[in-house]
Amino acid sequence: MALTLVSSNKCAGGFQKVFEHDSSELKCKMKFAVFIPPKAETEKCAVLYWLSGLTCTEQNFITKAGSQLPAAEHELIIVAPDTSPRGCKLEGEDESWDFGSGAGFYVDATQEPWRTNYRMYSYVTEELPRLINANFPTDPDRMSISGHSMGGHGALICALKNPGKYKARPASEGSVSAFAPICNPIQCPWGQKAFSGYLGNDRSTWEAYDATKLAAAYSGPRLDVLIDQGREDQFLSAGQLLPDNLISVCSKKIPVVFRLHEGYDHSFYFISSFMVDHVAHHAKFLKA
């Protein structure tokens, strides 16, 4: 599938690039960012996928998170897609910041008019990795996933729904991490709005995209989870994130390191403060 280069900037000894392509899953043009570390000039590298939160594009992460230097140090390619289809001309697509454009919630919609285009789950787990592996010097057996807020929800469900996918080699431990993730969307206003719109009113269908429900039923190989959360996060106090619900159901197969940070909020100032730790968390498993 043809890629169109949108931008390329030398960064941390490698290159931060943005590409556009025609997505078969989403039936529209999509952009994604990819950081290519210096090591990729001579060897295939593991890939860390990053999923951003509500209202974001591929730009927010690459300009604010500070991921390039640790990615270069740990020899990781980082791929950051957009957060939804764009320009599909669907009624209601641009009416609110927490549904439609910039708010795909990493599900495969089943309801009209969203079901044709809003298939971010399949895009992130299937189409995008195929595209990346076909066009960049990746080791397809070594990949992991991380994200923030809505993207933290996306990272968690992608890892939990696909046991053994986000790992270094067959039968090895997997890794996933998240900043301030939406951990129990069927119980919070953001998730209820998105799931009712994309998936319909049958709440039993929502559970397939809820990290807390998925973790409670998980039976795959060990999955090491790192979650960072700011104590001053306004969305934590508003009941949108619900990390305690997730932690309470995780078994020995899903060991969780949960770090609550005094004074930090929901912003990229928070993310950039601990991004080094998250890249190192994944590198530990991807390079094992």
Side-chain angles (χ1 to χ4, degrees):
M1 185 177 294
L3 299 180
T4 300
L5 180 65
V6 175
S7 64
S8 178
N9 298 92
K10 186 76 173 180
C11 183
F15 284 92
Q16 180 63 67
K17 300 187 178 189
V18 175
F19 290 89
E20 185 176 66
H21 72 105
D22 291 312
S23 169
S24 59
E25 282 288 354
L26 308 181
K27 307 295 190 293
C28 68
K29 290 187 179 298
M30 287 293 288
K31 291 180 181 177
F32 66 85
V34 57
F35 174 70
I36 304 172
K39 190 70 170 181
E41 294 181 5
T42 56
E43 293 184 23
K44 292 184 176 182
C45 295
V47 183
L48 174 60
Y49 288 87
W50 170 270
L51 306 183
S52 287
L54 289 164
T55 76
C56 289
T57 69
E58 78 289 340
Q59 287 293 318
N60 301 73
F61 175 73
I62 65 174
T63 58
K64 297 179 180 180
S67 62
Q68 292 91 348
L69 279 171
E73 176 187 351
H74 291 289
E75 303 169 356
L76 299 181
I77 292 171
I78 300 187
V79 177
D82 200 351
T83 54
S84 77
R86 301 282 178 174
C88 298
K89 300 180 180 179
L90 302 177
E91 183 177 355
E93 187 175 33
D94 299 314
E95 290 182 358
S96 59
W97 64 274
D98 55 358
F99 186 81
S101 295
F105 262 86
Y106 305 103
V107 303
D108 284 349
T110 59
Q111 303 300 298
E112 298 292 352
W114 314 102
R115 61 185 299 171
T116 299
N117 304 100
Y118 278 68
R119 297 179 50 80
M120 286 298 293
Y121 173 75
S122 287
Y123 177 73
V124 165
T125 59
E126 299 296 338
E127 182 181 4
L128 186 60
R130 286 198 302 269
L131 191 69
I132 298 302
N133 291 335
N135 288 278
F136 299 96
T138 67
D139 180 346
D141 292 326
R142 295 189 295 142
M143 60 188 287
S144 196
I145 193 163
S146 182
H148 171 230
S149 192
M150 177 186 72
H153 142 77
L156 289 169
I157 65 167
C158 287
L160 291 166
K161 285 171 69 68
N162 297 276
K165 186 179 184 75
Y166 297 97
K167 57 174 176 46
R169 60 183 184 276
S172 69
E173 296 178 21
S175 65
V176 60
S177 74
F179 292 86
I182 303 170
C183 293
N184 196 185
I186 66 175
Q187 298 293 342
C188 77
W190 276 342
Q192 290 165 358
K193 178 177 180 177
F195 286 7
S196 61
Y198 294 135
L199 303 175
N201 293 323
D202 181 357
R203 292 193 172 214
S204 66
T205 65
W206 300 4
E207 296 183 1
Y209 295 104
D210 185 290
T212 297
K213 291 293 186 180
L214 292 168
Y218 184 80
S219 60
R222 179 180 165 113
L223 180 65
D224 282 76
V225 182
L226 171 62
I227 297 176
D228 278 318
Q229 174 66 59
R231 187 181 286 277
E232 306 308 315
D233 187 328
Q234 69 270 36
F235 301 117
L236 177 66
S237 57
Q240 296 281 19
L241 307 179
L242 305 174
D244 291 344
N245 293 5
L246 173 64
I247 294 167
S248 69
V249 301
C250 286
S251 67
K252 291 181 179 179
K253 284 197 169 187
I254 316 175
V256 179
V257 174
F258 178 76
R259 308 191 302 184
L260 187 63
H261 301 279
E262 293 288 345
Y264 286 92
D265 57 19
H266 199 71
S267 70
F268 271 92
Y269 294 110
F270 162 57
I271 295 171
S272 64
S273 299
F274 302 102
M275 179 53 65
V276 168
D277 295 347
H278 282 245
V279 174
H281 168 74
H282 292 288
K284 178 176 67 174
F285 295 99
L286 290 174
K287 298 172 73 174

